[in-house]
Amino acid sequence: DAGVIQSPRHEVTEMGQEVTLRCKPISGHDYLFWYRQTMMRGLELLIYFNNNVPIDDSGMPEDRFSAKMPNASFSTLKIQPSEPRDSAVYFCASTGSSNYGYTFGSGTRLTVV
Amino acid sequence: GIQVEQSPPDLILQEGANSTLRCNFSDSVNNLQWFHQNPWGQLINLFYIPSGTKQNGRLSATTVATERYSLLYISSSQTTDSGVYFCAVATGGFKTIFGAGTRLFVKA
């Protein structure tokens, strides 16, 4: 089991550019979560999916953020346009209905300059 | 929304010492987890423990749901235990909220 796989590990982009973060959950897990971690705000839940359907996106900061899960093995988090305040580590996690312990990916460190 | 408070915020231990980390939450929960974030940033699930007691090697956890707190015990601490320990809870469904964490440093 390769665990939850996120890409890229690091991303540096200029303000105004589009950024796409990617996540592959553990096979068989039907819940997928996107979290953002900053020093000021800690770990924040942005959105989560169940069976590829978004269930709660109340944590998505604004319309510049969007997330999709086109199939059970892939999800994206897109920021367009990016701003310096979006700089953070973005984590993806997954779990299955029969086991509520979450497995996190290694995260994507995003820097917007 | 639910409030999650962790204490202490920072902790320094000598290798071999024991410690207890606390997580208080403001509402009934159906999901409580403890995580360790190592110095390289990786988040590792330690326990899923909405109630009761579990043990895994030198670590154990107890959640008293009726009194709205959970404790994480670390015995015979090692330098590799250093990092940040997070408590995360959900009040229904899977909307899981993290506490601010306890930062632990274990000195050799």
Side-chain angles (χ1 to χ4, degrees), chain B residues 14 21 53 57:
Chain B
Q14 192 67 43
L21 282 56
T53 298

Side-chain angles (χ1 to χ4, degrees), chain B residues 2-3 7 18 21 27 31-32 37-38 42 46 50-51 58-60 62 73 76-77 79-80 86 90 97 105 108:
Chain B
I2 189 170
Q3 303 298 312
S7 60
N18 303 327
L21 282 56
D27 202 351
N31 181 331
L32 188 145
Q37 187 168 37
N38 64 27
Q42 182 67 35
L46 299 175
S51 63
R58 295 181 297 103
L59 302 181
S60 64
T62 295
Y73 305 95
S76 304
S77 59
T79 57
T80 52
F86 291 103
I97 307 302
F105 180 68

Side-chain angles (χ1 to χ4, degrees), chain A residues 26-89:
Chain A
I26 289 175
S27 178
H29 281 186
D30 50 1
Y31 285 86
L32 182 141
F33 308 82
W34 283 100
Y35 281 85
R36 177 172 68 176
Q37 185 175 33
T38 61
M39 289 294 293
M40 291 296 294
R41 301 174 68 89
L43 277 155
E44 303 174 275
L45 176 63
L46 301 178
I47 186 171
Y48 78 91
F49 296 82
N50 177 220
N51 291 324
N52 314 334
V53 176
I55 302 301
D56 190 322
D57 65 354
S58 58
M60 295 286 265
E62 48 197 273
D63 292 345
R64 296 185 299 106
F65 286 69
S66 62
K68 295 181 180 180
M69 192 164 186
N71 57 63
S73 59
F74 184 65
S75 177
T76 60
L77 178 67
K78 185 175 296 186
I79 308 173
Q80 166 63 21
S82 58
E83 297 183 2
R85 60 192 167 122
D86 301 331
S87 297
V89 180

Side-chain angles (χ1 to χ4, degrees), chain A residues 1 9 12 14 17 22 25 35 62 68-69 100 106:
Chain A
D1 185 354
R9 289 296 308 275
V12 180
E14 292 185 346
Q17 296 298 306
R22 297 172 175 79
Y35 281 85
E62 48 197 273
K68 295 181 180 180
M69 192 164 186
Y100 301 131
S106 297

Side-chain angles (χ1 to χ4, degrees), chain A residues 9 31 33 35 37 39 43 45 48 56 58 91 95-97 99-106, chain B residues 30-31 33 35 37 40-45 48 86 90 92-99 103:
Chain A
R9 289 296 308 275
Y31 285 86
F33 308 82
Y35 281 85
Q37 185 175 33
M39 289 294 293
L43 277 155
L45 176 63
Y48 78 91
D56 190 322
S58 58
F91 287 100
T95 191
S97 298
N99 177 358
Y100 301 131
Y102 295 179
T103 301
F104 276 79
S106 297
Chain B
N30 68 318
N31 181 331
Q33 301 177 66
F35 291 87
Q37 187 168 37
W40 295 271
Q42 182 67 35
L43 279 158
I44 305 298
N45 186 286
Y48 166 74
F86 291 103
F94 286 75
K95 186 172 182 176
T96 301
I97 307 302
F98 278 71
R103 186 175 300 275

